[in-house]
Amino acid sequence: MKASSSRSGRGAHRGSKRGDRRRRRRVLAREASAISGRLERAVRVNPDCPVLGRVRPVYEMAERSRAIAHGGIGAVMAVAGAVGLAGEIDSAVRVLACHRPYWESDHVLNIAVNALCGGVRLEDIEARRNDAVLLDGLGVDSLPDPTTAGDFCRRFDAETTMALQEAINRSRLRAWEAAGALFLGKTARVDADASIVSTTGECKAGMDIAYNGVWGYSALLVSLANTKEPLFLDLHGANRPSHDGVVRLYDKAIELCREAGFADVMLRGDTDFSLTREFDRWHGEGVRFVFGYDAKANLIEVAEDQPDDLYNELAARAERAMAADTKRRTRPERHKEAIVAERGYKNVRTVGEDLTEFSYRPRACGRDYRVVALRKDLHVTGQGVLFNTFRYFFYITNGRQFSADQVVAEARSRCDQENLIAQLKSLRALHAPVNTLDANRAYMTMAALAWTLKAWTSLLLPVSPRWADTHNAQRRKLLAMEFRTFRAAIIDIPCQIVRTGRQIRWRILAYNPWLSALFRLADALRT
């Protein structure tokens, strides 16, 4: 009888959950229909007066209802819990003598939560600390204050920060496993680039003057292009070359991707990252690479000596030309180019791109590698001058399985990492708020975790077999979102916090089109 009662209880619970989901779907469909109809009805002739600015608000304090503006933060924290992030951090990072009451993971997540909720400075943590409803929703009595957060960052050195990054990467493996190999792809594309982090402070230890006269640091980022996630981050004085220390990070990224089960690893970078001393070792380890290569005089001479019949038009440019001829779409007028021509400024336009390839052995290598030469046909006008000239760009690779066009496509798609760097700057992850180089490196690692949690939110979004195409499209869209768009869609949702005896219930107070995905994620994480 007891076993039967237990089975019936579980069945009733499952039935209740199914009923909740059906009821939620009805509510979301009703809200979507209502807002769609409202927007359609709003488009009408209005001869009376403007529609904005007529309301006269009356404000008052709510005595019973308790709500927050960042209702999606609970789901993102559940994502961190699902991949075991706190446990990995606490087991790898030991910088506190005692926990009163915060552990290392509490401090790290505190900085990440600040960025997720729109904070751009350490001082903005104070707004989170004074939001009692947010504290109730997170199930905590308090959060570390800004001064304590800065002191926590100053406890790190280079080795401790690397331990933190590796702890985050162990949790990352679980997120990748949840996403599935089909979603991630067979080849892991690892990109590297550096960016100047400027500062106007005069007491920032370790800063230096960059090539353009800017004071600050050089932040080196190694990322996975498949998911646009920062894997490793390092910091140097701004006078250091951009590739300084990248070999170690490349090797760690290779190890991480192979542990994740990627069948192939490809390293990509611009000319500064074409480190010929490592080519033979990487090739021997089965790692592919595509790097930009300096246009040296000997390479230009080889490219110029190639017969014209060995050059082929770049496929992407030929396809664009064919598409333009087929569609016959009217192009908008180029106002910028017209102004340049009117004032007689020098104007350089690309009128053709051709490819050839040849074998080449760099001085530091023991074998030949494949070099793809891109010849740009440039049309130069201005101040009575009219002539054509060629400019050469070179790409070196050990990959023999793909065409020259694909080599150039790989090299150019690496430029998407600049968008990732711009996003990290927009959420102030590439920012130097503390007074030492080591402390700023640690802060950047913690703040960049906000972007990583965004990526994990999309990777852990469940996919129903019946709606696989729709759900996978949602995951890709969420993964490619800008950070501020993600915050508007998932984080900044008005939400009432209701504390009961056994649960903290987050009651959504406003509709947006991403709520169905948020509910699906929350249901999956809860079960």
Side-chain angles (χ1 to χ4, degrees):
M1 290 296 291
K2 290 183 179 179
S4 175
S5 173
S6 174
R7 284 195 296 271
S8 64
R10 287 196 296 270
H13 180 63
R14 285 195 295 269
S16 174
K17 288 179 62 178
R18 284 194 295 269
D20 288 343
R21 285 196 290 268
R22 284 195 295 268
R23 188 160 51 250
R24 190 189 302 153
R25 283 196 294 269
R26 286 198 300 271
V27 172
L28 290 175
R30 185 173 68 243
E31 290 289 341
S33 176
I35 190 63
S36 177
R38 177 174 181 157
L39 295 177
E40 289 178 4
R41 291 191 300 271
V43 182
R44 63 182 187 275
V45 177
N46 177 23
D48 300 327
C49 60
V51 297
L52 289 177
R54 293 187 294 172
V55 68
R56 296 293 182 266
V58 177
Y59 291 100
E60 60 182 22
M61 284 294 297
E63 297 184 15
R64 295 179 179 273
S65 300
R66 297 166 57 81
I68 58 173
H70 313 295
I73 193 66
V76 177
M77 288 297 98
V79 167
V83 296
L85 179 60
E88 292 290 354
I89 292 173
D90 290 330
S91 64
V93 180
R94 300 291 179 88
V95 296
L96 300 175
C98 62
H99 304 122
R100 300 178 53 188
Y102 309 113
W103 288 56
E104 283 81 356
S105 61
D106 296 322
H107 288 279
V108 173
L109 287 171
N110 181 42
I111 291 176
V113 166
N114 183 49
L116 283 164
C117 292
V120 295
R121 307 172 67 89
L122 283 175
E123 289 82 354
D124 295 332
I125 293 174
E126 196 63 30
R128 315 282 92 79
R129 279 171 47 83
N130 286 282
D131 190 341
V133 188
L134 175 63
L135 298 178
D136 287 345
L138 296 176
V140 299
D141 293 327
S142 179
L143 293 171
D145 62 55
T147 303
T148 304
D151 177 71
F152 179 72
C153 293
R154 282 186 283 271
R155 294 171 180 261
F156 281 75
D157 55 21
E159 290 73 20
T160 315
T161 303
M162 178 55 68
L164 173 60
Q165 293 179 14
E166 291 180 337
I168 294 171
N169 285 335
R170 285 192 290 273
S171 294
R172 197 185 310 277
L173 291 174
R174 300 188 184 100
W176 290 351
E177 183 181 5
L182 290 177
F183 185 78
L184 295 176
K186 294 182 179 179
T187 300
R189 289 170 168 81
V190 178
D191 297 336
D193 203 357
S195 180
I196 299 298
V197 178
S198 62
T199 176
T200 57
E202 296 188 3
C203 303
K204 305 282 186 179
M207 67 178 180
D208 216 312
I209 309 175
Y211 67 94
N212 56 359
V214 174
W215 283 92
Y217 300 101
S218 174
L220 171 62
L221 180 69
V222 174
S223 63
L224 182 71
N226 307 50
T227 58
K228 298 180 175 62
E229 292 178 80
L231 303 181
F232 295 97
L233 191 150
D234 202 0
L235 200 65
H236 307 280
N239 66 325
R240 301 299 302 157
S242 58
H243 62 268
D244 195 6
V246 75
V247 173
R248 178 191 180 207
L249 302 187
Y250 266 147
D251 290 341
K252 285 183 173 293
I254 293 168
E255 181 182 353
L256 177 70
C257 292
R258 285 180 167 165
E259 185 178 354
F262 283 99
D264 183 30
V265 180
M266 180 187 294
L267 305 181
R268 305 190 302 190
D270 61 21
T271 56
D272 285 340
F273 295 86
S274 189
L275 305 173
T276 55
R277 294 178 184 273
E278 307 297 329
F279 282 1
D280 289 351
R281 179 174 66 85
W282 283 333
H283 180 77
E285 293 173 356
V287 177
R288 290 194 296 166
F289 54 79
V290 175
F291 293 110
Y293 204 74
D294 287 329
K296 299 178 181 178
N298 60 333
L299 289 179
I300 294 176
E301 184 178 352
V302 172
E304 289 177 337
D305 290 343
Q306 296 284 93
D308 283 341
D309 58 355
L310 291 183
Y311 277 91
N312 298 303
E313 186 177 7
L314 182 64
R317 189 175 185 89
E319 290 167 2
R320 286 198 300 270
M322 290 176 60
D325 290 341
T326 303
K327 296 179 181 178
R328 297 291 182 184
R329 188 181 64 160
T330 303
R331 292 183 175 273
E333 184 179 352
R334 295 179 177 270
H335 296 284
K336 185 184 292 185
E337 189 169 341
I339 294 172
V340 170
E342 178 186 345
R343 298 181 182 176
Y345 296 151
K346 182 179 178 181
N347 187 25
V348 181
R349 289 192 300 113
T350 301
V351 295
E353 291 180 309
D354 302 301
L355 295 175
T356 190
E357 61 177 273
F358 50 86
S359 294
Y360 175 72
R361 180 176 298 186
R363 184 176 301 176
C365 298
R367 64 183 307 278
D368 290 350
Y369 290 97
R370 181 184 179 194
V371 170
V372 174
L374 173 65
R375 182 178 68 182
K376 285 196 174 189
D377 187 2
L378 303 178
H379 186 74
V380 183
T381 59
Q383 297 183 353
V385 179
L386 175 61
F387 64 92
N388 277 49
T389 185
F390 291 116
R391 185 177 298 169
Y392 292 91
F393 297 84
F394 298 94
Y395 308 95
I396 190 166
T397 180
N398 63 342
R400 300 286 178 180
Q401 304 89 341
F402 40 80
S403 67
D405 298 279
Q406 290 172 322
V407 171
V408 175
E410 289 287 352
R412 288 181 169 178
S413 63
R414 185 213 61 82
C415 297
D416 189 45
Q417 193 190 27
E418 295 179 6
N419 294 326
L420 172 59
I421 291 174
Q423 290 301 307
L424 293 176
K425 286 188 174 182
S426 73
L427 65 92
R428 303 284 279 183
L430 298 185
H431 173 55
V434 206
N435 63 341
T436 69
L437 185 145
D438 287 336
N440 282 312
R441 183 193 295 116
Y443 169 82
M444 291 180 191
T445 300
M446 299 174 205
L449 181 58
W451 178 270
T452 297
L453 288 170
K454 167 198 170 289
W456 292 352
T457 299
S458 61
L459 296 179
L460 267 65
L461 194 63
V463 176
S464 170
R466 182 180 178 184
W467 307 102
D469 292 341
T470 301
H471 289 175
N472 276 320
Q474 270 188 336
R475 293 167 84 186
R476 292 189 183 92
K477 188 173 182 179
L478 199 61
L479 195 61
M481 271 185 182
E482 291 189 355
F483 191 74
R484 62 177 182 177
T485 308
F486 171 77
R487 282 187 51 230
I490 300 297
I491 301 295
D492 294 342
I493 301 172
C495 187
Q496 184 180 7
I497 305 297
V498 181
R499 299 188 67 174
T500 63
R502 296 183 179 180
Q503 285 184 326
I504 299 175
R505 304 186 72 86
W506 297 58
R507 185 171 295 161
I508 302 296
L509 300 178
Y511 170 79
N512 83 45
W514 281 93
L515 285 184
S516 60
L518 180 66
F519 281 126
R520 197 166 76 249
L521 174 66
D523 287 343
L525 295 177
R526 191 168 69 248
T527 56

